[in-house]
Amino acid sequence: MTCGKGLFRPLLLYCLRANTPYWLRNGHADTLFAKLLQGKAPDYRRELLPDSTGKTQVAYDFVDSADPDAPLVVLFHGLEGSSESHYAVELMKAVQQRGWNGVVAHFRSCGGIENTAPVFYHLGDTPEIAFMLNTLAQRYSTIYAVGVSLGGNALAKYLGEQGSNAVPRASAVVSAPVDAVAAGTRFDQGMTRLIYTRYFLNSLLPKARAIPQFRTALSRQNCKTLGDFDDRFTAPLHGFADRHDYYRRNSCKPFLKGVDTPLLLLNAVNDPFLPPEALPTGRDVSSAVTLLQPAYGGHVGFVSRDQGRLNLQWLPQTVLDYFKQYQP
């Protein structure tokens, strides 16, 4: 486990290590099993609002507090995630229990809403992150932001770019592929490719083929990995030379020294999506960043055990406890 700069909660880390069943200490097992543990989603209130291009709408799924002055926790989901993802469900339920407001802000094409804009979403789409946060800041005086996986990388990059002008009072980034070049090597080979590639491509390819110029470029024969998809779709659509240029320019790791507002950066060492040697150290981040790197947790798994029962409570409680320190 690793403690970076800022607040460190050794008890939380100890509890996760001690309460993670031995058979879930494999990163793939923890990642996959977590999806089986989520409870019923809260009753969201959905709003469809314009995206930053003004050419499509995106879904904001809210949970509302009875307290008009309660803070808002906004979640930016991972690749092909939504308000129904296990981490979103558990976080929003925990937000409700604390009497706060919450919202899952969906990226273009996600949450069941068709994308009519000429662009998609990607690892480093900080203009969209900024637009969403500025939209919400017109309604809520105190905002905390959480980014998971792809959404976490985009949020962390935004925080580094904005410095002291960032909207959130505090943020948490969970399981972000902070070094997308290194993460790309994981996805293109071995067990990570075998287990997860088809899952993501089955969702991504139909959406991408809906854009006319990509209908024939994205066949099963020439798009067998996420790297292939980024080479043939993500990079050319968004102005990058190829996937390597896309990964290099959008990895959040080089931006972490520019973060000027409190940030909890949480990565499990056994995350199957990112080699442990790619994790940031204290030398890579500003004094506003707290590194939390437990040995176990997989990719947005963090399954723990309480009184013999497995649950997903460690992650939302850790994140919300971190935010509580920064309440006005």
Side-chain angles (χ1 to χ4, degrees), residues 16 20 30-31 34 86 174-175 266-271 292-294 296-305 311-316:
L16 178 64
T20 301
D30 202 329
T31 301
H86 67 282
V174 181
S175 299
L266 171 57
N267 295 87
V269 175
N270 71 342
D271 187 334
L292 190 55
Q293 296 172 359
Y296 312 121
H299 188 76
V300 207
F302 303 103
V303 176
S304 61
R305 180 168 48 199
N311 63 78
L312 300 177
Q313 298 312 303
W314 185 88
L315 177 58

Side-chain angles (χ1 to χ4, degrees), residues 72-139:
L72 173 76
V73 176
V74 54
L75 173 66
F76 299 105
H77 59 78
L79 182 65
E80 292 301 278
S82 74
S83 59
E84 299 295 323
S85 298
H86 67 282
Y87 53 83
V89 168
E90 298 306 321
L91 177 62
M92 290 298 115
K93 287 163 62 178
V95 166
Q96 278 188 316
Q97 290 168 4
R98 296 210 179 193
W100 293 0
N101 297 291
V103 63
V104 180
H106 292 83
F107 295 121
R108 298 178 194 95
S109 82
C110 296
I113 305 302
E114 181 184 1
N115 177 33
T116 57
V119 292
F120 204 55
Y121 69 99
H122 64 81
L123 276 168
D125 192 0
T126 51
E128 184 72 354
I129 296 287
F131 182 83
M132 288 175 158
L133 288 170
N134 288 331
T135 296
L136 293 166
Q138 296 175 30
R139 306 186 189 185

